[in-house]
Amino acid sequence: MTKQQQRMPGSDPLRDGAVLDVRGLTVEFPARGRNVRAVDNVSFTVGRGEIIGLVGESASGKSTLGLALMRMIPAPGVVSAGTIAFGGRDLASLPEAEMRELRGKALSLIVQDALATMNPVTTIEEQITEVIRDHGGDRSRKSLRARATEMLREVRLPNAEQSLNRYPHQLSGGMQQRVAIAEGLILGPELIIADEPTTALDVTVQAQILALLRDICDTRGTSIIFVTHDLATVAEICDRVMVMYAGRIVESGTVSAVFSKPAHPYTKALLSGLLPLSGEPPAELEALPGQPPRPDAWPTGCRFHPRCPLWRALGEPEICTTTDPEVDESDSHWAACHFADLEGAGR
Amino acid sequence: MTTPDETSADALVPLFSVRNVTKDFERKRRFGRKRGRRSRPALDAVSVDIYRGEAFGIVGESGSGKTTLGRLLIGFDTPTEGEVHFEGRVVAAMSRPERRSFRRRVQMVFQNPFASLNPFRTIRDTLSDGYARRRMSSAERSASMTELLARVGLNESMLERYPHEFSGGQRQRIVLARALTVEPSVLIADEPVSALDVSIQAQVLNLLNSLKNDLGLTVVMVTHDLRVVNFFCDRIAVLYMGHIVEVGSREAIMNDSWHPYTRMLISAAPNGDPETRSERPWVSSELGATEPPAEGCIFAPRCWLRQQLGNPERCTIEQPTARPILMEDGAAHLTACHFAEEVPQQAKAAVGA
């Protein structure tokens, strides 16, 4: 058991107002005779109407974490430890039949590549109404169609009515993404896991979709876990942010705290990699050496230490290579670093 | 910034001169009949000059024609109308030896380094191709290869490895090294860092910057990423639906643009500051992709400036051509808007409202 795990809130798993309470979640994939931990002992809560950003690079485990919450980890991967408290149940141990009922209805997933999630030979109308029918909703064609049209209008799809008769390939990427979002919203889920929902879109379309997601959270109280590699979109719509590195959350806090006072050296590096949109650019960028580690070769101790500028600046202290940083996850802003710069952060 | 060197007359002649270029990808005949009506050209009467030693950015959204323009520059496609000149010669009409020298001097780097390398060939094989036509002894070649690898931040021990053994950032370095084997003077980079992780992007951008400065390369960067062009480019051209709507210095385009589309595009990008979330009165009202109008300004249907000015008739009748704007610092700045002079003031009014 790692040190990170020692700090577990003993009393109430579903804290006040939280829609989702994840404790010690671990996802393992068997590889070459041993188990590789893609997500390692992750704990967090999501409040009602909150948009929480989950930021990380490739292989950080951010998408795997999203899939784990949906219980959609592809075999042979498994959720090997931890609890996912949602709506009074533990999703981690829920029978698959019950989980099926929840997917789409209580919690839904929106992915980056909308086209890949659609059946190319069925119309948009069928794609959307299938979601309702699958969950035993209304079965009259007319009212299903009306509901689908209304939903498409809500996601501001131009020509909603006509679009229902079209096939996925006849829509532009931005329109496909809006259809995918409509599907994710139509049953009014409490929680949406949105994995890079706007990454493939043009900035003008992205701006509209982000505004739409924000609006849905504010008006309906829906919560969103917004998985992305892009800090600029996090700053745009998220309330809180969790930074993931090598299968773990390394920093967590409100967006304004993390952006104004990043405490973990990795977060600092990511933020300095967020190039300015206007004004004088820096002559040279501060680049982290090396590349993100793979799940089958997580470094010992703090997993960031081989790339850490602070570790090098401090003369490579041994503790970073041997011991996991301890964190107090009940703090509103915390960072998993032995030398975290938490001055002024919400302690 | 690398401005054209005023002392040398040669430097004032553009390296690339794109003159009134239209590129039409006509729809192919299928089953013996022509499909649909003539489509909108990918590029429509585009003119732009690119100078020696500068980092030139071509930005636009999907479907703007930015990639097509890059492909025309390097000669992968030929214009339907108009001409692309490289050092005064028309690219499409070059003789064989001219073309061979052009191919050597202008190199291209693509977005996806995974697709750009042959998986069955070692890095040494891949790099060797570039040396094939250079008369070098094998000792000279191997010394040159070592130096090149060091320059892009790789080392000799990697030569015998295959592409799959490298990460995305390393592969993009290999692709850059391959482009440099023929000692080019121009690099055309289409979304060179878009597929890379944030921390790796910074490494590759630093590398491109040092290559540009150390080797005096002219770099044409085609991208949708406004943050990347603001970091890397000296001058920027903004494309919208096959038209160049604005060309100017990085400062002018990114900070105080003179075209309503450029203003909209830049304000649509999240500004990255949670305290002052972007204000964009002109984006929110707009709905999806719009068919370009048959007449007048292509941007008119989405144009906030036109709305604010009370929908002047001119915008829907007359297509604006790129015209110079007199800048305070005397820099060349072109914009294709009838009411460009109104942009700064009206933009302020729109945000303030």
Side-chain angles (χ1 to χ4, degrees):
Chain A
M1 210 184 246
T2 63
K3 289 218 168 179
Q4 242 182 356
Q5 216 164 347
Q6 288 177 359
R7 178 69 187 79
M8 292 268 276
S11 53
D12 184 16
L14 254 184
R15 287 193 247 166
D16 29 308
V19 172
L20 180 78
D21 189 47
V22 176
R23 294 291 123 198
L25 187 66
T26 300
V27 179
E28 292 188 351
F29 289 87
R32 290 183 195 145
R34 64 199 189 92
N35 283 341
V36 161
R37 287 187 168 189
V39 174
D40 192 359
N41 190 15
V42 160
S43 304
F44 63 94
T45 57
V46 181
R48 190 168 303 283
E50 187 176 47
I51 304 186
I52 183 156
L54 183 58
V55 179
E57 297 182 280
S58 38
S60 64
K62 60 184 192 303
S63 294
T64 307
L65 176 54
L67 288 176
L69 300 179
M70 294 291 294
R71 278 266 303 277
M72 284 165 66
I73 298 289
V78 286
V79 173
S80 59
T83 57
I84 306 167
F86 175 80
R89 287 185 266 197
D90 177 19
L91 300 188
S93 57
L94 207 62
E96 178 57 28
E98 286 178 50
M99 194 64 217
R100 264 195 84 111
E101 300 240 313
L102 292 181
R103 277 192 211 113
K105 198 168 190 175
L107 72 170
S108 67
L109 176 72
I110 300 170
V111 296
Q112 174 175 1
D113 187 358
L115 186 62
T117 67
M118 295 185 195
N119 183 340
V121 297
T122 61
T123 60
I124 300 301
E125 177 174 5
E126 283 169 81
Q127 317 265 356
I128 297 180
T129 55
E130 186 189 14
V131 182
I132 308 171
R133 278 185 275 119
D134 275 3
H135 284 279
D138 201 336
R139 278 168 189 277
S140 113
R141 177 139 194 250
K142 209 171 164 188
S143 71
L144 282 175
R145 191 176 165 94
R147 240 176 114 179
T149 315
E150 190 193 334
M151 197 65 235
L152 289 180
R153 288 217 177 94
E154 207 165 322
V155 298
R156 323 239 162 87
L157 192 80
N159 309 326
E161 184 93 52
Q162 292 96 303
S163 298
L164 284 176
N165 300 327
R166 300 233 197 141
Y167 289 87
H169 74 273
Q170 294 175 302
L171 305 182
S172 71
M175 289 160 85
Q176 288 164 2
Q177 196 64 40
R178 278 180 243 207
V179 171
I181 292 173
E183 279 176 39
L185 293 176
I186 198 156
L187 294 174
E190 276 181 87
L191 176 69
I192 298 170
I193 294 144
D195 192 347
E196 307 267 12
T198 61
T199 305
L201 305 177
D202 280 328
V203 282
T204 51
V205 181
Q206 170 179 288
Q208 295 168 45
I209 301 244
L210 292 181
L212 171 74
L213 292 176
R214 184 73 255 180
D215 186 52
I216 285 161
C217 292
D218 293 345
T219 56
R220 298 188 182 182
T222 310
S223 310
I224 297 182
I225 297 177
F226 195 91
V227 182
T228 184
H229 70 282
D230 182 14
L231 283 164
T233 50
V234 169
E236 182 80 13
I237 67 158
C238 294
D239 302 299
R240 282 195 297 139
V241 59
M242 303 186 292
V243 180
M244 237 179 141
Y245 186 81
R248 289 191 179 155
I249 297 173
V250 295
E251 181 159 4
S252 169
T254 62
V255 167
S256 59
V258 172
F259 275 66
S260 62
K261 292 191 165 64
H264 197 284
Y266 178 63
T267 314
K268 287 184 184 177
L270 283 185
L271 280 168
S272 77
L274 183 62
L275 299 170
L277 195 52
S278 59
E280 200 55 35
E284 190 172 327
L285 300 174
E286 285 173 50
L288 286 177
Q291 53 201 300
R294 313 297 308 180
D296 56 353
W298 295 143
T300 57
C302 169
R303 289 172 180 173
F304 184 58
H305 84 263
R307 301 177 76 197
C308 184
L310 183 62
W311 180 62
R312 219 157 301 124
L314 292 173
E316 313 198 343
E318 205 190 329
I319 187 170
C320 298
T321 62
T322 55
T323 317
D324 279 335
E326 236 174 292
V327 295
D328 185 349
E329 282 153 5
S330 61
D331 283 346
S332 67
H333 181 190
W334 57 261
C337 172
H338 295 295
F339 303 96
D341 178 11
L342 275 166
E343 278 167 59
R347 284 228 129 179
Chain B
M1 166 167 169
T2 348
T3 40
D5 185 357
E6 266 120 52
T7 52
S8 127
D10 182 57
L12 291 175
V13 178
L15 188 65
F16 272 109
S17 182
V18 176
R19 285 287 141 254
N20 225 2
V21 161
T22 296
K23 178 67 190 176
D24 214 339
F25 292 101
E26 216 178 326
R27 295 194 193 181
K28 292 221 173 67
R29 279 165 181 272
R30 292 211 186 146
F31 308 115
R33 67 192 175 105
K34 245 182 178 165
R35 299 177 72 237
R37 37 186 193 95
R38 230 175 82 115
S39 53
R40 172 178 68 82
L43 286 177
D44 198 346
V46 163
S47 296
V48 69
D49 290 331
I50 297 168
Y51 294 93
R52 203 178 300 274
E54 73 177 347
F56 190 82
I58 299 173
V59 300
E61 296 184 279
S62 45
S64 64
K66 56 185 191 299
T67 293
T68 303
L69 182 53
R71 290 176 60 89
L72 287 171
L73 287 177
I74 200 171
F76 283 167
D77 284 318
T78 49
T80 312
E81 282 163 45
E83 284 167 346
V84 177
H85 300 256
F86 178 73
E87 293 185 328
R89 289 190 199 85
V90 178
V91 173
M94 281 178 178
S95 66
R96 264 170 177 264
E98 276 174 347
R99 179 163 287 268
R100 193 171 297 143
S101 138
F102 173 75
R103 288 258 189 266
R104 185 182 70 71
R105 295 194 46 207
V106 184
Q107 287 289 308
M108 185 133 188
V109 174
F110 296 96
Q111 171 173 7
N112 188 347
F114 295 82
S116 307
L117 294 167
N118 185 334
F120 300 113
R121 305 184 73 203
T122 62
I123 305 314
R124 181 187 296 280
D125 293 342
T126 296
L127 295 183
S128 294
D129 290 351
Y131 289 97
R133 284 188 174 275
R134 289 172 68 183
R135 293 192 187 88
M136 278 180 151
S137 70
S138 64
E140 279 173 327
R141 177 186 293 197
S142 108
S144 162
M145 240 185 232
T146 310
E147 193 200 316
L148 196 56
L149 284 171
R151 186 175 281 290
V152 298
L154 299 172
N155 61 58
E156 234 175 321
S157 67
M158 297 171 172
L159 278 173
E160 310 309 329
R161 295 210 246 154
Y162 290 89
H164 74 267
E165 298 175 65
F166 295 93
S167 67
Q170 286 173 322
R171 283 185 223 199
Q172 203 59 299
R173 289 168 192 272
I174 295 166
V175 171
L176 280 168
R178 177 177 63 184
L180 296 176
T181 53
V182 294
E183 301 189 310
S185 48
V186 186
L187 208 57
I188 297 178
D190 192 343
E191 305 277 12
V193 298
S194 300
L196 306 176
D197 268 321
V198 190
S199 69
I200 308 301
Q201 267 191 14
Q203 296 174 7
V204 174
L205 283 173
N206 280 339
L207 171 62
L208 274 168
N209 225 1
S210 71
L211 292 178
K212 184 192 87 173
N213 296 334
D214 299 349
L215 305 175
L217 286 177
T218 306
V219 183
V220 180
M221 188 181 274
V222 178
T223 183
H224 72 284
D225 193 328
L226 298 164
R227 294 172 189 281
V228 168
V229 285
N230 187 54
F231 169 71
F232 189 76
C233 297
D234 305 316
R235 288 201 311 134
I236 298 169
V238 182
L239 266 76
Y240 179 73
M241 287 193 169
H243 292 251
I244 288 193
V245 296
E246 194 169 15
V247 189
S249 69
R250 177 190 63 75
E251 295 86 343
I253 296 278
M254 300 305 294
N255 304 342
D256 308 287
S257 135
W258 294 86
H259 195 283
Y261 174 65
T262 312
R263 291 264 177 172
M264 177 171 129
L265 183 69
I266 293 171
S267 76
N271 67 5
D273 179 1
E275 305 307 323
T276 56
R277 286 177 177 164
S278 313
E279 290 191 74
R280 47 179 80 100
W282 39 67
V283 177
S284 53
S285 61
E286 180 273 326
L287 285 180
T290 325
E291 281 294 303
E295 276 176 335
C297 173
I298 30 132
F299 184 56
R302 294 174 74 187
C303 185
W304 55 272
L305 180 64
R306 174 169 160 259
Q307 272 175 23
Q308 231 159 278
L309 295 174
N311 298 326
E313 216 178 324
R314 196 173 167 199
C315 298
T316 50
I317 295 171
E318 188 190 337
Q319 184 175 311
T321 48
R323 62 193 172 89
I325 290 274
L326 198 58
M327 301 291 285
E328 276 171 25
D329 58 359
H333 195 98
L334 293 172
T335 179
C337 173
H338 295 306
F339 301 98
E341 284 78 3
E342 308 275 351
V343 169
Q345 206 190 341
Q346 293 291 340
K348 253 184 225 148
V351 175

